[in-house]
Amino acid sequence: MYPAAAEPGPVSVELDKTQAGIGLGQAVKFTSPVRNPAEQQVSGAIAHLNVLAADPGVYVDPEDWSSERTQYLDPLDGGESDPIEWEMQGVNSGRFIVYVVITSAQAAGEVVTSKTLRLDVAPERTLDASGLVPVAAGVPGAIVLLMGLVMVRRVRRRPPPAKKPSAP
């Protein structure tokens, strides 16, 4: 059986960014300061990172976005703040909403949420190779043709071999 944790109480949580843009596969880092404005100590608080798609039809598996989505906070004395650092990697392209929730393990505990971070993940850029096929085939052919012309020209410019004197 787990010991009862104190309710996180009147804590607040914020995000140090409201908007970010990254490319597919890139990472974004941000901080969410958790503050205890009350006089009494708060313990047992749990911070959880959430991500959801702003565009319909985009699948989001939060475990793919961050390896550490839940963090257990140390007790916060009155007036203290604890900055929690998060790192996420862009897994899908599109528009996403990220926010942090603070709660406790207590049944029917209070839930405090941060404002949202708007995360835009640009699609992966791919190279259109359709225009490269003629170049890839043509350049080696042109080099072989030029080398052939140079060799023919050298053969034509060679002086005729010297004649050996005839024997008496």
Side-chain angles (χ1 to χ4, degrees):
M1 183 162 192
Y2 297 102
E7 177 69 20
V11 296
S12 66
V13 60
E14 298 176 11
L15 295 178
D16 67 344
K17 295 181 181 183
T18 58
Q19 206 167 345
I22 58 173
L24 194 62
Q26 292 180 330
V28 62
K29 292 180 181 183
F30 58 95
T31 303
S32 62
V34 177
R35 290 184 173 81
N36 177 9
E39 293 180 18
Q40 70 275 14
Q41 184 185 67
V42 170
S43 63
I46 303 168
H48 188 74
L49 181 66
N50 296 284
V51 58
L52 57 99
D55 299 320
V58 176
Y59 175 73
V60 175
D61 186 357
E63 285 80 19
D64 294 341
W65 288 77
S66 179
S67 61
E68 189 176 15
R69 291 185 37 243
T70 302
Q71 297 190 38
Y72 299 88
L73 281 64
D74 293 329
L76 280 174
D77 289 328
E80 271 192 340
S81 179
D82 185 9
I84 302 171
E85 294 184 1
W86 305 95
E87 182 173 354
M88 296 178 60
Q89 182 174 357
V91 176
N92 302 37
S93 60
R95 297 176 309 144
F96 299 91
I97 300 187
V98 178
Y99 62 98
V100 175
V101 173
I102 305 292
T103 191
S104 70
Q106 186 176 14
E110 182 180 340
V111 175
V112 178
T113 61
S114 69
K115 293 195 181 214
T116 60
L117 161 68
R118 163 80 185 270
L119 180 62
D120 294 318
V121 181
E124 181 179 32
R125 294 185 181 172
T126 57
L127 179 63
D128 180 16
S130 62
L132 294 178
V133 173
V135 174
V139 169
I143 291 173
V144 168
L145 180 65
L146 287 173
M147 288 175 61
L149 289 173
V150 168
M151 289 176 67
V152 167
R153 202 168 168 192
R154 281 185 180 171
V155 169
R156 286 186 181 172
R157 288 189 172 186
R158 274 191 192 156
K163 291 186 179 180
K164 292 185 182 180
S166 54

